[in-house]
Amino acid sequence: MAHTKSQGSVKTNKDSISKRRGIKRFGGESVIPGNILVRQKGTLFHPGIGTGMGNDFTIYAKSSGLVNFKKKLGKKVIEVMPQI
């Protein structure tokens, strides 16, 4: 017999859990305080008016209104503008 016994599956062939990062509320959507706008690693987007940033770089709404994306001094900024 010139074959080997089966060894089972490889232990290191596992995939990590996805982090569910990305934009959660897009431009023009209405939000209330506490809504998460973006989950990110690092500061790809920066907080603007009506938004705040958590320790894990999550940008969230501090006030209610409409989400607005814009560029300011070469940086991508997310703002929450109050509804009229």
Side-chain angles (χ1 to χ4, degrees):
M1 297 286 219
H3 58 36
T4 60
K5 286 189 173 184
S6 62
Q7 300 297 316
S9 62
V10 179
K11 288 184 180 180
T12 59
N13 199 11
K14 297 176 183 173
D15 199 7
S16 63
I17 300 168
S18 63
K19 303 299 180 208
R20 273 83 171 178
R21 292 192 184 113
I23 300 174
K24 307 298 180 186
R25 299 278 187 231
F26 293 92
E29 287 190 49
S30 61
V31 293
I32 59 173
N35 279 7
I36 293 175
L37 306 178
V38 176
R39 286 211 179 262
Q40 59 186 351
K41 186 173 183 178
T43 53
L44 183 65
F45 294 96
H46 294 270
I49 299 169
T51 60
M53 186 161 55
N55 290 336
D56 59 348
F57 301 104
T58 298
I59 297 180
Y60 59 92
K62 284 185 171 179
S63 61
S64 59
L66 297 176
V67 179
N68 183 28
F69 288 81
K70 70 177 194 175
K71 279 197 161 189
K72 186 175 184 181
L73 299 174
K75 296 179 182 180
K76 297 175 195 170
V77 178
I78 302 176
E79 296 178 340
V80 174
M81 305 307 287
Q83 285 180 320
I84 299 173

